[in-house]
């Protein structure tokens, strides 16, 4: 109450404009400082992306060939072979395939009686061991026939060749000779069938006639 004028005056809280401006300035500085802390340089992002891509290419391009297989790499460049060692290929451009060069056994028998040189009909069977040849030339040709095949598939594919040669040798020998001299019989079978198998890059390593009846 103003005694002189008789008017009432209401006290209001003071408003510090300068203080408010200062507070806003401090808040803006803190926000800018926080943004500076979170900022990641563009070159670092690029480096991380490139490093990840290179790592993916290295992992996908790494090739490790076991001692009993050949990895055949085809695509951009000339066909390459890896055996018992590691190497690299270009992912998405080159592709890898496998050749099983492990020695395997297969049975061969005559499907019907075959006359011997002395006109006695017999049936014969033998156990033979085969493997894919490992020279560069033989691997290249074997890749045309047996790429990604297992030994069972290879064995089934050569049954007709083996049986045909076994029948041919039986017709060239007398029964007594076949029974008494199995080593000669085995050698004749090997000599007879080896050229045919070589055409498809297979080696005939161990013939073993088992029965003649």
């Amino acid at each position: 109450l103003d005694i002189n004028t008789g008017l009432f005056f209401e006290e209001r809280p003071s408003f510090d404009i300068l203080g408010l401006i200062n507070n806003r300035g401090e808040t803006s500085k803190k926000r800018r400082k926080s943004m500076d802390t979170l900022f990641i340089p563009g070159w670092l992002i690029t480096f991380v992306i490139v490093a990840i891509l290179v790592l993916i290419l290295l992992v996908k391009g790494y090739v490790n060939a076991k001692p009993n297989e050949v990895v055949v790499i085809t695509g951009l460049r000339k066909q390459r072979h890896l055996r018992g060692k590691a190497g690299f290929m270009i992912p998405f451009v080159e592709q890898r395939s496998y050749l099983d060069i492990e020695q395997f056994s297969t049975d061969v028998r005559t499907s019907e009686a075959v006359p011997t040189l002395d006109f006695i009909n017999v049936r014969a069977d033998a156990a033979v061991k085969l493997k894919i040849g490992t020279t560069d030339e033989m691997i290249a040709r074997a890749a045309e026939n047996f790429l990604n095949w297992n030994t069972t598939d290879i064995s089934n594919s050569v049954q007709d060749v083996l049986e045909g040669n076994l029948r041919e040798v039986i017709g060239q020998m007398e029964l007594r000779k076949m029974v008494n001299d199995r080593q000669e019989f085995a050698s004749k079978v090997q000599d007879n069938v080896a050229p045919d198998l070589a055409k498809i890059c297979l080696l005939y390593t161990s013939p073993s006639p088992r029965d003649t009846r």
Side-chain angles (χ1 to χ4, degrees):
L1 175 62
D2 189 334
I3 299 176
N4 297 324
T5 61
L7 297 176
F8 287 94
F9 292 95
E10 182 181 356
E11 273 190 33
R12 293 187 179 180
S14 60
F15 190 72
D16 190 353
I17 296 178
L18 292 177
L20 180 60
I21 293 173
N22 290 334
N23 288 337
R24 287 183 177 178
E26 292 294 331
T27 303
S28 298
K29 289 180 181 179
K30 289 180 180 179
R31 286 180 180 174
R32 285 197 299 269
K33 186 176 181 180
S34 177
M35 291 178 64
D36 291 341
T37 303
L38 296 175
F39 175 74
I40 300 176
W43 66 266
L44 182 58
I45 296 175
T46 303
F47 175 80
V48 171
I49 293 174
V50 171
I52 293 174
L53 290 176
V54 170
L55 182 61
I56 292 173
L57 291 176
L58 288 176
V59 171
K60 286 189 170 292
Y62 180 75
V63 180
N64 186 25
K66 300 176 183 177
N68 63 341
E69 70 180 7
V70 174
V71 177
V72 181
I73 301 174
T74 56
L76 185 63
R77 294 176 287 177
K78 183 180 177 181
Q79 186 180 100
R80 293 179 289 136
H81 310 139
L82 295 177
R83 177 190 173 192
K85 61 181 180 180
F88 286 94
M89 55 175 272
I90 304 175
F92 314 114
V93 176
E94 296 181 315
Q95 62 180 4
R96 77 189 81 179
S97 302
Y98 297 89
L99 274 177
D100 191 337
I101 58 172
E102 187 174 17
Q103 180 175 274
F104 61 95
S105 297
T106 185
D107 294 330
V108 55
R109 58 177 55 86
T110 55
S111 56
E112 56 186 22
V114 181
T116 63
L117 187 61
D118 49 354
F119 306 106
I120 301 174
N121 289 335
V122 299
R123 293 175 181 268
D125 65 86
V128 300
K129 292 183 179 180
L130 306 173
K131 72 186 300 291
I132 292 176
T134 54
T135 65
D136 289 341
E137 181 182 356
M138 296 187 79
I139 289 174
R141 287 181 10 221
E144 299 175 3
N145 299 309
F146 306 124
L147 208 58
N148 295 323
W149 285 30
N150 57 39
T151 54
T152 301
D153 295 331
I154 299 174
S155 175
N156 292 336
S157 72
V158 298
Q159 284 298 311
D160 290 343
V161 174
L162 294 174
E163 182 183 350
N165 281 273
L166 181 59
R167 293 167 63 91
E168 187 175 334
V169 172
I170 291 173
Q172 297 171 355
M173 297 184 68
E174 295 181 351
L175 178 58
R176 184 179 61 181
K177 190 78 169 176
M178 290 171 55
V179 173
N180 293 337
D181 194 348
R182 290 176 176 265
Q183 186 61 43
E184 183 180 352
F185 180 37
S187 296
K188 282 182 175 292
V189 173
Q190 182 172 7
D191 293 341
N192 207 63
V193 75
D196 290 337
L197 292 177
K199 294 177 183 177
I200 54 176
C201 307
L202 287 176
L203 301 179
Y204 190 85
T205 60
S206 179
S208 179
R210 293 186 303 195
D211 189 23
T212 305
R213 58 191 182 279

